[in-house]
Amino acid sequence: MSLRHALLGLLVDRSGSGYDLMKLFSTSLGNVWAATQSQLYGELNRLEAAGLIEVVAEGPRGRKEYALTGAGREELHRWLTEKEGEKPQRNEMLLQVFFLSQLTKEQSVEWLLHQADVAAGQLAALTRLDASIDWDGGPISLGGRLALEYGLRLRAMEEEWARWAAGQVIGPASPEGAAEAADTADGS
Amino acid sequence: MSLRHALLGLLVDRSGSGYDLMKLFSTSLGNVWAATQSQLYGELNRLEAAGLIEVVAEGPRGRKEYALTGAGREELHRWLTEKEGEKPQRNEMLLQVFFLSQLTKEQSVEWLLHQADVAAGQLAALTRLDASIDWDGGPISLGGRLALEYGLRLRAMEEEWARWAAGQVIGPASPEGAAEAADTADGS
DNA sequence: GAGGCCATGTAACATGTTACATGATTGT
DNA sequence: ACAATCATGTAACATGTTACATGGCCTC
């Protein structure tokens, strides 16, 4: 139930409407937590019913501007300090890796190099994002910087891993791969 | 809908009952894709209704042993070769990082070092797992090894990142942190 | 015959996705 | 007036979680 906490966190130091919050999910925050518009408005209503946020202003087009209540601030703090057990993990890419043997060696290598390219592309996108943000002393900026650095390290790791894995598939010594033996200069 | 594909993948080179498959999810495969017993039995029935698997034997206690059909094998292959757009990402730990400024510096550092310990523990667990598996020529073993290596690199990265992040929180130069200034020997 | 494992399932609920619906306001 | 953007919502469906229900088989 972390969408709830994402919303509380965003409302900590500025009030905003669902529409405002949506824009944050589509940009910076979307890199660590995704949410659809549909989900967001529903959750805002539930948060208000639970007394964790309240409407502090109403604007044109039915705009409702929300702010944290004391209870909301407490809940956010509780969530940040609790230690929880490990959550179930899911990584579709790794699931596919598990069953990579269903493909031919050539297909597997191609697949892994594609993953490397995807990771490289994500790394480039994060690098661009990094350059585009002015890291002045905003309140979210420390956390944002740390999260971004995680992303940079993660994608770099993924690219390296995928290229390494492609090498593993080809094999430390692949004697039967005669088709691609263009050069006979492999020593030792 | 990847639970479906996880089941297809597991049934590729050996038939098995829901109970058998459950055990795989609680051990090796559980590291990349989690599933509950409840979900699993439901999905098996749906897969059979869709003609992707079939009951090849019935045993005691209502045991039903499933095997892939041709259509199931095709679907698995399709899933492995399709290129899909990026899925919504969610990482609760990073979400918390985003809002770390709600804690004091001391609390933030403690929190980050705790994350480092968690990652280190996971790394140790994977290392133990690695040592316990005999990597003979099983059909799943190549994919399993690659996935495990990903996990090892990921957790190592996470630990390093968390320790680095703790350093960032303390600050490149923290003039007002007088309490911990035990040594005055910081050069430059 | 009793306890432990084998084996499958249902029900209630929470969370997330996709598509659609509705309309106000602003700028040109 | 027209389009773009602002703004909130509902409905149907898919996926995932937790708890409970039911009973057969095997070994000691």
Side-chain angles (χ1 to χ4, degrees):
Chain A
M1 207 165 47
S2 288
L3 170 59
R4 162 162 306 204
H5 299 109
L7 293 171
L8 294 176
L10 289 176
L11 290 171
V12 145
D13 34 41
R14 77 214 91 108
S15 62
S17 67
Y19 194 87
D20 294 337
L21 297 170
M22 255 319 284
K23 280 186 290 191
L24 297 173
F25 276 96
S26 351
T27 56
S28 55
L29 195 63
N31 290 295
V32 300
W33 201 268
T36 62
Q37 174 255 41
S38 188
Q39 230 190 322
L40 190 145
Y41 283 109
E43 190 63 37
L44 282 173
N45 285 325
R46 260 170 266 130
L47 279 167
E48 193 195 355
L52 300 181
I53 63 177
E54 61 187 348
V55 176
V56 291
E58 308 210 13
R61 280 159 294 201
R63 174 190 173 92
K64 287 184 286 185
E65 208 159 321
Y66 293 100
L68 267 199
T69 63
R73 203 169 294 267
E74 276 173 41
E75 170 58 19
L76 180 64
H77 197 271
R78 189 199 60 70
W79 171 70
L80 282 169
T81 50
E82 82 183 344
K83 317 247 189 241
E84 26 179 347
E86 313 190 15
K87 298 275 173 65
Q89 305 189 51
R90 287 185 184 101
N91 185 325
E92 183 166 6
M93 192 267 286
L94 286 186
L95 184 60
Q96 292 180 315
V97 167
F98 242 81
F99 302 123
L100 212 55
S101 58
Q102 296 309 304
L103 301 180
T104 65
K105 270 195 181 188
E106 290 74 26
Q107 284 177 313
S108 295
V109 169
E110 185 194 5
W111 188 90
L112 285 164
L113 293 180
H114 173 69
Q115 298 302 320
D117 289 345
V118 169
Q122 290 170 324
L123 179 59
L126 288 178
T127 304
R128 255 178 280 122
L129 181 64
D130 194 6
S132 77
I133 296 176
D134 54 332
W135 296 113
D136 55 18
I140 215 179
S141 84
L142 171 66
R145 271 197 302 121
L146 300 182
L148 182 55
E149 174 70 19
Y150 181 100
L152 293 169
R153 292 180 184 218
L154 174 65
R155 300 313 178 187
M157 180 285 274
E158 284 185 338
E159 187 186 355
E160 276 176 56
W161 167 84
R163 297 202 189 284
W164 167 86
Q168 292 295 113
V169 170
I170 294 170
S174 64
E176 65 268 12
E180 82 284 9
D183 57 335
T184 53
D186 57 333
S188 179
Chain B
M1 206 164 47
S2 288
L3 170 59
R4 160 162 306 204
H5 300 108
L7 293 172
L8 293 176
L10 289 175
L11 289 172
V12 145
D13 34 42
R14 76 214 91 108
S15 62
S17 67
Y19 194 85
D20 294 337
L21 298 170
M22 254 319 284
K23 281 186 291 192
L24 296 174
F25 275 96
S26 352
T27 57
S28 53
L29 195 62
N31 289 295
V32 300
W33 202 268
T36 61
Q37 175 256 43
S38 188
Q39 230 189 321
L40 189 146
Y41 283 110
E43 191 61 37
L44 283 174
N45 285 326
R46 259 170 266 132
L47 280 167
E48 194 196 353
L52 301 180
I53 62 176
E54 62 187 345
V55 177
V56 290
E58 306 211 13
R61 282 160 293 199
R63 173 190 174 92
K64 288 185 286 187
E65 209 159 321
Y66 293 100
L68 267 199
T69 63
R73 203 170 294 267
E74 277 174 39
E75 170 58 20
L76 180 65
H77 198 270
R78 189 199 60 70
W79 172 70
L80 281 169
T81 50
E82 82 183 343
K83 318 245 189 244
E84 26 180 346
E86 313 191 15
K87 297 273 173 66
Q89 305 188 52
R90 286 185 185 100
N91 185 326
E92 183 166 6
M93 193 267 287
L94 286 185
L95 184 60
Q96 292 180 315
V97 167
F98 242 80
F99 302 123
L100 213 53
S101 58
Q102 295 308 303
L103 302 180
T104 65
K105 269 195 182 187
E106 291 73 27
Q107 285 176 313
S108 295
V109 169
E110 186 195 5
W111 188 90
L112 286 164
L113 294 180
H114 173 69
Q115 298 302 320
D117 288 345
V118 169
Q122 289 169 324
L123 180 58
L126 288 179
T127 304
R128 255 178 278 121
L129 181 63
D130 194 5
S132 77
I133 296 177
D134 54 330
W135 296 112
D136 54 17
I140 214 178
S141 85
L142 171 67
R145 270 196 303 121
L146 300 182
L148 182 55
E149 175 69 18
Y150 181 101
L152 292 170
R153 292 180 184 218
L154 173 66
R155 300 312 178 187
M157 180 283 273
E158 284 185 338
E159 186 186 355
E160 276 176 59
W161 167 84
R163 297 203 190 284
W164 166 86
Q168 291 295 113
V169 170
I170 293 169
S174 63
E176 64 269 12
E180 82 283 8
D183 57 335
T184 54
D186 58 331
S188 175

